[in-house]
């Protein structure tokens, strides 16, 4: 708890959020429950609480001092619901042998950490940002920093700084998706320092891309544009046109939100041209989301800000035709963007039917805060543009029923 800066109420909140991720139901852990754990009065929490504790701390429950019983004591794993099992596996698999028991660190250690990071990115694609993902990412960064204490070559040491930067960037992104801006900023600042020590321009581009997204959330569009330019200035954009395209696309959104029409269209043009020059090559897993379909989704956002809703609708259709099925959150976001474009063109009934598809895509999983905010934007626009329609009343009833969904 001291390492993570958690108080008893803070740990209770984190465990409850992890329980929501694991089971789909709200957790009921209280400050008193945490007191029972830390005092030793509770020797072993129940199965779901143990799974959540492992998620929060990024290590097996027995390393936290609990006396395991039954199947767990005999070395058999817990069995959380199948839908969440991949999450627990990805979190608890972060650990590598403790630094104190090692004599030297090599690239195989870095590769193991990278593999666990890829698992967390796959989880993010499905569920979006949440507290347990953030904590798991920070646990991976902490392990990379611990391995820095061991003898290593300069190459390995830079690689450890790089993987620590990427884990911390993942924590930052989780906070951005959860709209936890203050924590996101702290993680981004730390990750930029690590990326600089690693001399990793791809990690730096990722972080400036996240800076642009955070500034956009905060309606600080001048900073969003500046962060997009900083991303394009990273060395990797000179050798990988796909990264250059992403930097231009992110800049386009900032320009459009600020009302700079020509600059936004110019950046979109640069993004499209760079993407035509991109070719298949090994890239970090965090970049897997970006390609023609995601550029189409960004095009829809840009034209919505410019008031060109017919073009935004066309671009959103293109995005949905190409975004892979595993990127459920991205598909849900593009769906709401399509609904907004239809609504602003006066097709209220179709817009409501389209927006409902976002809930279908998410299913029973918690809705990430960023997507929830976008759905709120749709609801507010609906109330403004068609306050007396039957579709608006039906949609409002749907929104009220969805408020019971886990956060």
């Amino acid at each position: 708890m001291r390492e993570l800066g958690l108080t008893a109420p803070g740990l209770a909140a984190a465990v409850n959020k992890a329980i929501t991720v694991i089971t789909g139901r709200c957790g009921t852990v209280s400050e008193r429950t945490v007191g029972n754990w830390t005092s030793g009065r509770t020797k072993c929490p129940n199965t779901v609480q143990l799974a959540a504790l492992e998620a929060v701390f990024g290590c097996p429950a027995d390393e936290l001092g609990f006396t395991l019983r039954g199947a767990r004591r005999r070395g058999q794993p817990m069995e959380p619901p199948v839908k969440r099992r991949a999450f627990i596996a990805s979190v608890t698999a972060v650990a590598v042998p403790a630094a104190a028991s090692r004599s030297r660190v090599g690239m195989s250690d870095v590769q193991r950490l990278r593999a666990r990071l890829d698992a967390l990115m796959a989880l993010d694609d499905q569920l979006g940002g949440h507290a347990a993902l953030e904590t798991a990412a920070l646990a991976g960064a902490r392990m990379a920093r611990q391995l820095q204490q061991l003898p290593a070559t300069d190459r390995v040491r830079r690689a450890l700084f790089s993987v620590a930067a990427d884990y911390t960037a993942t924590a930052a992104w989780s906070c951005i998706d959860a709209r936890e801006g203050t924590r996101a900023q702290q993680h981004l600042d730390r990750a930029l320092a690590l990326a600089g020590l690693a001399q990793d321009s791809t990690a730096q581009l990722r972080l400036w891309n996240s800076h642009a997204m955070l500034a956009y959330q905060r309606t600080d569009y001048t900073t969003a544009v500046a962060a997009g330019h900083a991303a394009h200035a990273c060395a990797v954009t000179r050798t990988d046109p796909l990264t250059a395209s992403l930097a231009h696309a992110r800049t386009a959104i900032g320009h459009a939100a600020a009302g700079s029409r020509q600059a936004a269209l110019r950046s979109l043009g640069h993004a499209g041209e760079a993407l035509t020059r991109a070719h298949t090559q090994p890239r970090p897993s965090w970049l897997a989301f970006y390609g023609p379909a995601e550029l189409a989704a960004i095009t829809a956002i840009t034209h919505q800000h410019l008031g060109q809703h017919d073009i935004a609708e066309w671009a959103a259709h293109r995005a949905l035709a190409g975004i892979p099925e595993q990127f459920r959150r991205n598909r849900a976001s593009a769906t709401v963007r399509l609904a907004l474009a239809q609504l602003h063109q006066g097709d209220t009934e179709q817009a409501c039917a389209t927006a409902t598809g976002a809930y279908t895509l998410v299913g029973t999983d918690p809705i990430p805060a960023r997507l929830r905010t976008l759905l709120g934007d749709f609801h507010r626009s609906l109330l403004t543009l068609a306050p007396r329609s039957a579709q608006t009343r039906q949609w409002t009833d749907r929104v009220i029923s969805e408020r019971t969904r886990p956060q």
Side-chain angles (χ1 to χ4, degrees):
M1 288 172 66
R2 283 193 296 270
E3 286 182 16
L4 295 179
L6 287 173
T7 61
L11 178 57
V15 169
N16 283 332
K17 287 186 178 181
I19 288 173
T20 299
V21 172
I22 296 165
T23 68
R25 298 185 300 274
C26 295
T28 58
V29 172
S30 65
E31 183 177 353
R32 181 177 179 180
T33 308
V34 175
N36 288 337
W37 293 341
T38 56
S39 69
R41 284 191 294 273
T42 298
K43 303 297 183 184
C44 183
N46 65 42
T47 300
V48 173
Q49 289 175 350
L50 279 175
L53 283 161
E54 289 184 340
V56 168
F57 288 104
C59 65
D62 57 353
E63 292 184 14
L64 299 173
F66 294 115
T67 302
L68 303 184
R69 59 190 175 222
R72 283 303 295 277
R73 189 170 60 239
R74 294 191 295 273
Q76 298 176 14
M78 287 184 299
E79 291 294 321
V82 172
K83 192 174 183 182
R84 309 295 186 178
R85 198 170 298 144
F87 169 71
I88 298 301
S90 68
V91 172
T92 57
V94 165
V96 296
S101 64
R102 306 289 300 282
S103 59
R104 192 170 184 84
V105 63
M107 287 305 296
S108 61
D109 299 300
V110 177
Q111 290 164 1
R112 278 193 289 272
L113 284 169
R114 284 278 177 205
R116 301 289 70 76
L117 180 60
D118 292 345
L120 291 181
M121 294 309 303
L123 176 71
D124 171 67
D125 295 336
Q126 286 288 316
L127 299 181
H130 50 278
L133 175 61
E134 176 195 2
T135 302
L138 293 176
R142 188 164 59 250
M143 179 58 67
R145 295 198 301 273
Q146 288 174 356
L147 290 178
Q148 288 281 0
Q149 302 169 14
L150 299 174
T153 65
D154 288 343
R155 173 172 171 264
V156 170
R157 203 166 295 287
R158 284 194 301 273
L160 285 171
F161 278 126
S162 176
V163 76
D166 274 329
Y167 268 111
T168 309
T170 299
W173 162 248
S174 182
C175 290
I176 291 171
D177 203 33
R179 295 189 68 89
E180 297 285 352
T182 300
R183 290 209 311 279
Q185 188 67 64
Q186 293 169 348
H187 296 330
L188 287 174
D189 292 344
R190 175 59 177 160
L192 272 173
L194 292 166
L197 292 169
Q199 302 172 42
D200 185 341
S201 65
T202 303
Q204 290 169 337
L205 179 138
R206 178 187 186 182
L207 291 161
W208 285 121
N209 176 68
S210 294
H211 263 291
M213 296 185 73
L214 179 58
Y216 174 77
Q217 273 189 5
R218 292 170 162 174
T219 67
D220 183 359
Y221 303 131
T222 300
T223 299
V225 170
H229 288 318
H232 189 261
C234 294
V236 66
T237 62
R238 295 192 288 273
T239 57
D240 185 0
L242 184 139
T243 61
S245 176
L246 174 58
H248 283 306
R250 197 63 66 199
T251 306
I253 294 178
H255 280 310
S260 302
R261 181 177 183 276
Q262 291 303 320
L265 295 178
R266 186 166 53 250
S267 292
L268 272 184
H270 290 323
E273 188 277 331
L275 196 57
T276 64
R277 295 185 283 108
H279 53 83
T280 302
Q281 65 184 69
R283 293 186 178 95
S285 57
W286 72 267
L287 268 169
F289 80 99
Y290 190 72
E294 186 63 24
L295 178 56
I298 290 175
T299 299
I301 298 170
T302 301
H303 283 283
Q304 275 183 345
H305 279 296
L306 298 178
Q308 298 172 316
H309 301 292
D310 55 340
I311 301 176
E313 181 180 8
W314 167 81
H317 275 298
R318 286 195 64 191
L320 286 169
I323 297 175
E325 294 295 330
Q326 67 265 29
F327 294 102
R328 288 192 304 158
R329 177 197 47 216
N330 292 16
R331 289 186 62 82
S333 295
T335 298
V336 182
R337 292 289 177 186
L338 174 58
L340 279 165
Q342 292 167 337
L343 178 62
H344 281 279
Q345 294 177 88
D347 196 348
T348 304
E349 184 174 359
Q350 182 59 58
C352 289
T354 299
T356 300
Y359 288 115
T360 303
L361 280 165
V362 175
T364 59
D365 289 320
I367 301 176
R370 197 164 57 102
L371 177 58
R372 192 178 287 276
T373 298
L374 188 56
L375 285 163
D377 292 341
F378 175 80
H379 189 201
R380 285 186 291 275
S381 296
L382 186 62
L383 291 172
T384 299
L385 298 173
R388 295 181 178 84
S389 73
Q391 289 80 18
T392 299
R393 290 193 297 272
Q394 292 168 4
W395 178 262
T396 300
D397 290 342
R398 176 66 184 268
V399 169
I400 292 172
S401 69
E402 288 291 339
R403 284 175 182 166
T404 60
R405 180 191 288 267
Q407 302 289 324

